[in-house]
Amino acid sequence: MSSFATVLLYVAVAGLVLYPVVYKQLRGTLLDRKSLVTLPLVLVAVGGYLTIGALPGSSAAELAFLGVDLVVLAGLGVLRSTTTTLTARGGTTFQKGSAVTLGLWVLTIAVRIGLVTLATALGVAGPLTSASIALTLGVSIAVQNATTYRRVRLAGLPLAERSPAALSR
């Protein structure tokens, strides 16, 4: 994939996935089990499918970069979770991000682009690098949400099965 196409792919992912996720976290949102699981599950499933399709012909170096990408972005997911405030509200937990949360999202995107740039500069970026964007993003969000779920449980906060808005209908 050309570098222009890669940039377009990143912009599309940012617009369709990151903007709503980051926006909700910064303005605050009521959490429920479904919202913590659905988006990361879809991203990991789609990203896993695309990644598996790009595996044939991938070099060991590409696989190593994918591994580093997954570990680093998962770590950033843990950090992003710890920067949100959790409080009980409306029969569930309300999560609100901070300026640090926004900064960590920017860092997450910068790290992903930086790793792709480094891989390209070293001559090891191939189809796997672009195909794995949904997977790496999905894993990062899944780890963030799993960490948030653990924090909710440890704090003894409520967590609705479904969105409180859906329950009131």
Side-chain angles (χ1 to χ4, degrees):
M1 184 179 286
S2 74
S3 60
F4 179 72
T6 301
V7 169
L8 282 179
L9 176 64
Y10 286 6
V11 168
V13 168
L16 296 173
V17 176
L18 288 179
Y19 175 74
V21 170
V22 175
Y23 177 74
K24 278 184 168 183
Q25 285 178 6
L26 293 179
R27 76 169 165 85
T29 189
L30 294 172
L31 298 177
D32 60 84
R33 283 180 176 85
K34 182 179 176 186
S35 69
L36 289 173
V37 172
T38 304
L39 178 63
L41 183 64
V42 168
L43 286 172
V44 168
V46 169
Y49 176 78
L50 295 172
T51 299
I52 288 170
L55 283 177
S58 296
S59 68
E62 285 178 280
L63 293 172
F65 268 99
L66 176 59
V68 169
D69 200 4
L70 288 168
V71 169
V72 171
L73 294 186
L76 287 167
V78 170
L79 290 176
R80 286 192 313 270
S81 173
T82 63
T83 66
T84 62
T85 303
L86 303 173
T87 54
R89 186 185 296 178
T92 192
T93 298
F94 182 76
Q95 172 184 251
K96 182 153 178 47
S98 65
V100 176
T101 310
L102 177 60
L104 286 170
W105 270 113
V106 170
L107 180 61
T108 299
I109 295 165
V111 164
R112 173 66 163 135
I113 292 171
L115 285 171
V116 169
T117 302
L118 178 61
T120 301
L122 295 175
V124 295
L128 181 62
T129 305
S130 296
S132 62
I133 184 172
L135 175 65
T136 58
L137 184 59
V139 167
S140 188
I141 294 171
V143 169
Q144 177 180 348
N145 289 357
T147 304
T148 298
Y149 179 78
R150 183 173 188 274
R151 291 178 58 220
V152 166
R153 291 286 132 218
L154 288 174
L157 293 166
L159 190 60
E161 292 294 324
R162 296 184 312 166
S163 165
L167 294 173
S168 65
R169 290 183 198 153

